[in-house]
Amino acid sequence: MLVMALWAWHIGRSPRALLATSWDSLWYVRIAAHGYGRTLYWPDGAVQSDLAFFPLYPGLVRTVTSVLPVTGGTAGLVLSWIAAGAAAWGIYAVVERLHDRRTATVLVLLWGLLPHAIVLSMAYTEPLLTAFAAWSLYALLTRRWLWAGVLAALAGLTRPNGIAVAAAVCVVAGCELWKRRGTKGGRAGIRAAALLAPAGWLGYLLWVGARKGDVLGGYFAVQSGWTSRFDLGLGSLRVIRGMVTAPAFFGFPMALVIAAAGVLLFALFVLDRPPLALLVYTAVLVLITVGGSGYFESKPRFLLPAFPLLLPLACALTKARPRAAITVIAALAGLSFAYGTYLTVAPMAL
């Protein structure tokens, strides 16, 4: 944030405006202030409706502005900063339970130094989703079923890819019920978690569908207006082909490199045989990111909640010599500071 602020002042921009009212942040602030109902029609045929944005974050922004004398953008920043702290704590708790304090600390550090980590300081929903996801996964690991279900439902009200948390809860709950078949006790809480987990995500999709006159397909029609759909990566391949044949903003090839690194890290993550909850959660996030079309430059942002991808690297750094580990972390920090600053001022969607 400090590097970004210094550069913003250097070019005559407001650091607060870049953090609080850039791209999607403007949509969230407007929803918080005026509710849903805004649609933009573009000459190329694109139709962008604010119904594409899930309701929990703008609802929280509205709550903060009704209690405190702050603008929507400031409220969004406060919420994101608090959520980022809660997310870091949750990530630490999950990794400490699976490994140790050293690995947990290194992984949180790596997560905070990802090239797109500046988003965690902006009025965006990734910090909130990651917080709900991390603590829901921790609840699954510690068999706190109701907490896992409730937090997954909240994640589903935060972002479209919040369905990854619900998928993890439902799969783990299903496996646990299968193991306990024939027994009478302890199954009600597991069933409740499985029912609660997808409730937020499904509830919003059905509400949008009812509002658009197509209960099952209305939300997906809204997403199509944003050129966002799941096509198994065909749209991404077209973007990659375009990058080869014509000049593109620096963010596009960087997005390709980061997404490819994410797929490689996922392969290494799977080889370590992680707990089922983390495996399902991460697999769904990677599948949505790689298989979805739309804003190609936003793919690294979609992977920010996928913190388990960093487990192989964190484990390797804890075993490496201190000088090597410091070199890797310093290089990642330099990339994050420079590229995060570039993202906030670049003329492309974040």
Side-chain angles (χ1 to χ4, degrees):
M1 285 177 62
L2 177 59
V3 174
M4 185 280 299
L6 291 173
W7 182 253
W9 286 323
H10 173 69
I11 63 175
R13 303 283 295 275
S14 165
R16 180 199 167 279
L18 291 174
L19 292 173
T21 56
S22 292
W23 301 104
D24 290 359
S25 302
L26 278 174
W27 288 89
Y28 289 121
V29 170
R30 284 169 177 156
I31 294 170
H34 307 293
Y36 287 100
R38 186 169 187 259
T39 303
L40 299 180
Y41 299 88
W42 298 96
D44 61 357
V47 180
Q48 296 180 330
S49 168
D50 58 8
L51 291 171
F53 298 93
F54 277 52
L56 183 57
Y57 184 73
L60 292 174
V61 170
R62 188 182 186 96
T63 301
V64 172
T65 56
S66 66
V67 174
L68 300 176
V70 296
T71 63
T74 299
L77 288 180
V78 171
L79 287 169
S80 293
W81 295 346
I82 293 173
W89 184 15
I91 292 170
Y92 179 90
V94 168
V95 180
E96 183 191 27
R97 182 169 184 84
L98 296 177
H99 295 276
D100 51 47
R101 292 184 177 182
R102 183 181 177 87
T103 306
T105 303
V106 171
L107 194 142
V108 171
L109 178 62
L110 292 174
W111 180 70
L113 292 176
L114 289 173
H116 271 64
I118 189 65
V119 174
L120 303 175
S121 301
M122 300 177 69
Y124 268 70
T125 51
E126 274 73 18
L128 191 62
L129 172 60
T130 308
F132 287 138
W135 286 108
S136 180
L137 292 172
Y138 181 78
L140 280 178
L141 294 174
T142 55
R143 294 302 187 259
R144 293 176 170 88
W145 296 106
L146 286 179
W147 273 112
V150 169
L151 291 168
L154 293 173
L157 282 170
T158 304
R159 284 193 55 77
N161 54 357
I163 189 61
V165 191
V169 173
C170 290
V171 170
V172 173
C175 291
E176 190 67 20
L177 288 171
W178 177 257
K179 291 178 184 177
R180 297 191 186 190
R181 65 188 184 280
T183 63
K184 295 183 179 179
R187 295 163 63 99
I190 303 174
R191 290 196 189 96
L195 292 173
L196 280 171
W201 190 82
L202 284 174
Y204 184 66
L205 260 67
L206 294 175
W207 179 80
V208 172
R211 182 161 174 161
K212 300 295 290 186
D214 181 1
V215 174
L216 297 180
Y219 175 78
F220 300 103
V222 169
Q223 285 285 14
S224 293
W226 286 80
T227 68
S228 179
R229 59 182 64 88
F230 188 79
D231 60 2
L232 296 176
L234 293 178
S236 298
L237 290 176
R238 286 193 290 269
V239 174
I240 295 171
R241 184 178 61 186
M243 282 191 284
V244 174
T245 58
F249 284 117
F250 178 61
F252 284 84
M254 274 294 293
L256 176 60
V257 170
I258 294 171
V263 173
L264 175 60
L265 287 173
F266 179 70
L268 297 175
F269 172 68
V270 172
L271 291 175
D272 283 342
R273 297 183 179 181
L276 183 61
L278 271 67
L279 177 61
V280 173
Y281 168 72
T282 310
V284 173
L285 284 177
V286 172
L287 179 63
I288 291 173
T289 301
V290 174
S293 64
Y295 290 90
F296 185 86
E297 64 273 31
S298 298
K299 288 186 180 296
R301 174 166 64 85
F302 300 156
L303 286 175
L304 271 177
F307 65 89
L309 291 176
L310 298 171
L311 266 171
L313 183 56
C315 291
L317 287 177
T318 56
K319 298 173 184 177
R321 293 182 177 181
R323 181 177 297 178
I326 291 172
T327 300
V328 171
I329 291 172
L332 187 59
L335 173 62
S336 177
F337 296 166
Y339 191 62
T341 299
Y342 167 79
L343 287 173
T344 58
V345 299
M348 65 175 192
L350 182 59

